[in-house]
Amino acid sequence: MSLTGNDAWPGTRPDSAWRHIAYAAARARAGDTVSIRGGDYGHEHVVVSNSGSPSAPIVFEGYNGTPVLNGGDRTGQGIFLSGKNDITFKNIELSMYLDCISVVSGRNIILENIVIRACGGLRSDGRGIQLERCTRSTIRNCEVTDAGGVGIFTTESYSCLIDNCRVYGTRTDIYEMDYYIVMSWATGNTIRNCTASNS
């Protein structure tokens, strides 16, 4: 992936890279690694269409700088997975969506080195990172700032790990974050080496 890419190209080498992350997410298959060159990719809604496998996950990884997705209007979802397994996202930044990353009914999902800034709608609305009905998934080395409703939210999820994450708020207006790390209707999960704070 590259800001100078073209979705009509093969997408198999840096000099024939695709342009849009959403385009790659609709096509990636088990064992594929989608390398995303750093830069501002703007207002994309990334929906992952396929699952990986335990031995051949699908990996979306920023390199040579941080790729940034900016929703711009605090609506919609930046990255969405539903019923998909064995997917990794790492080294990516998102901001200004209602829900920056939302995962529903996933297994072996890894979110690593993700930065979330200024997402969510009005007070109590929106999520930075959400795992719903997920198992054996990991949120590691992530930072969530000013997420509106909840910074990191897991519900009906089992055997998941939140490790070395920082969730904090700086706003005191209608976009003030209500909750920082929440686990509801969830068992067998671990929160380790995390901090939550506000201004």
Side-chain angles (χ1 to χ4, degrees):
M1 305 297 313
S2 170
L3 291 173
T4 59
N6 188 317
D7 292 340
W9 293 347
T12 54
R13 300 189 321 269
D15 60 357
S16 65
W18 289 333
R19 167 60 179 83
H20 294 96
I21 302 168
Y23 184 86
R27 287 154 181 80
R29 301 287 192 271
D32 287 347
T33 295
V34 178
S35 297
I36 309 166
R37 190 178 181 91
D40 188 346
Y41 287 79
H43 191 161
E44 288 204 47
H45 295 278
V46 176
V47 179
V48 178
S49 296
N50 301 295
S51 287
S53 71
S55 61
I58 299 174
V59 178
F60 297 84
E61 180 176 16
Y63 80 100
N64 198 11
T66 302
V68 177
L69 284 76
N70 187 334
D73 58 5
R74 295 180 182 266
T75 64
Q77 296 164 324
I79 296 172
F80 180 66
L81 295 79
S82 179
K84 302 298 181 285
N85 305 317
D86 304 292
I87 307 287
T88 295
F89 276 90
K90 57 184 176 179
N91 307 331
I92 297 172
E93 180 176 325
L94 299 94
S95 63
M96 299 298 287
Y97 293 92
L98 181 62
D99 300 318
C100 279
I101 300 178
S102 183
V103 183
V104 179
S105 299
R107 185 181 67 248
N108 295 333
I109 305 301
I110 298 174
L111 305 173
E112 186 169 5
N113 298 328
I114 304 291
V115 175
I116 306 287
R117 301 190 192 284
C119 66
L122 301 179
R123 197 183 306 274
S124 303
D125 201 7
R127 313 256 190 288
I129 298 172
Q130 174 176 276
L131 300 181
E132 180 179 349
R133 300 192 304 275
C134 292
T135 57
R136 299 195 306 277
S137 296
T138 300
I139 303 170
R140 177 181 290 122
N141 299 332
C142 294
E143 179 179 302
V144 181
T145 309
D146 296 327
V150 183
I152 296 176
F153 181 56
T154 63
T155 183
E156 299 179 75
S157 295
Y158 308 93
S159 302
C160 294
L161 171 65
I162 303 173
D163 182 34
N164 197 38
C165 293
R166 182 180 179 215
V167 184
Y168 63 101
T170 65
R171 305 286 295 254
T172 57
D173 57 9
I174 58 173
Y175 295 111
E176 181 178 5
M177 187 157 55
D178 267 6
Y179 299 97
Y180 291 74
I181 299 174
V182 174
M183 285 185 169
S184 68
W185 301 96
T187 60
N189 299 289
T190 301
I191 301 175
R192 182 172 63 202
N193 300 325
C194 294
T195 61
S197 63
N198 65 24
S199 58

